[in-house]
Structures are given as C-alpha cells and as structure tokens.
Amino acid sequence: MHELVAYSKKPLIGIIMGSSSDSKVMHSAAVILDEFSVKHEDQIVSAHRTPTRLSDYAKHAEIEGFRVIIAGAGGSAHLPGMVASHTIVPVIGVPIMVYNDKGHSDKFKFSAFGGLDSLLSISEMPTGSPVVTVGVNKAANAGLYAIKILANEFPDLKKKLKKYKEEQHKSIIRESDELRRMGLARFTSKKFKK
Ligand code: RP5
C-alpha cells in the first residue's frame, strides 16, 4: 500500500515539450504512464524561447524529486540535452518530427529532415552529459522506459510490466490466428480498410 501511494499520488516523472504543437506526439507518453497509474507533471518549456525557464525547471525537477524527465522536442531539439546539462535527473529524449499545422501553407508542414534533425540533435550529446533517446515520435516508448526505471524502486510496477509483456504476447498470437484463419488478403483489407 505504501508503495502504491509512493508512485501514484505524487508526480515522479516530469514530461516537458518545446511547444504546444509537440503535445500531439507527447500525449502518448502520458497515456502509458496513466495506464500504469504513475503520476506525471506536464509542462511546456522551450530551450530556445524560454531559456531561463529551462534552468528553473531543472531545479524544480530536483526539488520535486522527479526520478525521470521525459523531454520531447522537434527540429533543432536542444531541450532534452540542455535540461540534462542542468540536472542529474536522467532524461529520456523524444525526437519529434515537426508537423506544423499552425501556418497557412500546405507546402512546409513537415520538418525538412523528417525527424532526423531532432534525433541527431538529441543523441549526439558530448561525453559527460548523456541523454538517451527513443525513436522519432516514439513518446509511448519513453513512457514505458521511464516505468522500467521506476520499477527498480517499486516492485509492484515490475509485476505490472511483466503482465503488460504477457498481454502483448497474447495479442500478437490472437492476430496471427486471425491472419491464418482469414488468409492474408482478407485479413489486411479488414484490418486496414479506411
Ligand atoms: C521546437 O520547434 C519544438 O519542440 C517544436 O517541435 C518545433 C516547432 O514549434 P512550433 O513552431 O510548433 O511552436 O522547438
């Protein structure tokens, strides 16, 4: 009971993102954390547009006792690296493929480099200031990875993660049975029809 209270009553994970437009990707991290009843605190912090807020946030994360920070950013994605340089709280970066639908033109909605820009900006940190990164737009994996880190402290989360894996296994078997029963052509058109 004590353990449950410890990870479900007080935010132990901080989720930050560089812009409101990132929330469309970052919400998948929140969905996973909610599924495991892990409390998180969510904020917008821009490395470039609010640099002083960024260093204040790093202090806040330490005062609050966050175990992990999940930081998502697109384009020149300096948020994860910069927040990591201000704190010893481990940071998981989420590279975001910028999709800007705030503008009027249909032509330039996607980042010119399709997310590779963000991925490299996050992963190529200098020795001594590490950040780990998930794949482009894989915010759900960042949520899961944060839970794995927390599970070292809370055995109940370990049990939940094992159950999650078993469910994953069962759902693939279910799909495979369906595929075998229906045949590939029918299965695909049923599953992916618009
Ligand atoms: C980055 O610029 C943000 O993380 C976001 O992915 C990108 C575009 O931001 P907006 O122009 O949508 O605010 O700093």
Side-chain angles (χ1 to χ4, degrees):
M1 187 60 189
H2 168 72
E3 185 192 307
L4 188 70
V5 167
Y7 73 78
S8 64
K9 290 279 185 279
K10 183 182 165 343
L12 294 178
I13 310 284
I15 301 182
I16 50 173
M17 60 209 83
S19 165
S20 61
S21 63
D22 296 328
S23 66
K24 288 172 283 182
V25 169
M26 293 304 289
H27 86 278
S28 308
V31 168
I32 287 283
L33 294 174
D34 292 345
E35 201 178 318
F36 282 78
S37 305
V38 170
K39 269 251 155 69
H40 46 96
E41 185 215 76
D42 317 325
Q43 295 208 45
I44 298 170
V45 180
S46 168
H48 304 118
R49 294 179 273 205
T50 64
T52 51
R53 179 168 158 72
L54 180 139
S55 62
D56 289 347
Y57 176 83
K59 286 184 201 114
H60 164 75
E62 297 208 347
I63 290 165
E64 289 299 311
F66 292 165
R67 307 302 200 269
V68 180
I69 295 169
I70 298 174
S76 180
H78 293 140
L79 179 66
M82 281 312 295
V83 84
S85 69
H86 281 287
T87 174
I88 57 161
V89 178
V91 178
I92 304 172
V94 181
I96 292 176
M97 182 171 79
V98 176
Y99 179 78
N100 193 336
D101 46 11
K102 286 177 185 166
H104 304 293
S105 161
D106 265 359
K107 272 191 193 155
F108 303 110
K109 280 187 171 174
F110 290 100
S111 108
F113 301 99
L116 188 61
D117 40 0
S118 331
L119 178 66
L120 296 180
S121 300
I122 295 172
S123 67
E124 292 304 305
M125 287 290 284
T127 302
S129 189
V131 167
V132 297
T133 177
V134 292
V136 174
N137 288 350
K138 301 275 185 186
N141 271 355
L144 265 177
Y145 202 79
I147 293 166
K148 286 186 173 191
I149 294 171
L150 276 186
N152 290 318
E153 195 179 331
F154 302 106
D156 183 50
L157 281 179
K158 230 173 229 171
K159 279 190 218 149
K160 285 187 179 177
L161 277 168
K162 290 211 164 116
K163 194 152 177 270
Y164 182 86
K165 257 193 178 309
E166 283 162 19
E167 284 306 320
Q168 226 169 34
H169 180 93
K170 283 182 197 157
S171 92
I172 299 293
I173 301 295
R174 271 196 301 273
E175 281 193 317
S176 176
D177 287 347
E178 201 185 351
L179 167 62
R180 196 166 46 179
R181 227 180 21 252
M182 294 177 77
L184 185 52
R186 267 184 62 218
F187 175 85
T188 311
S189 63
K190 183 190 161 203
K191 215 160 179 67
F192 300 103
K193 69 171 178 257
K194 296 262 177 236

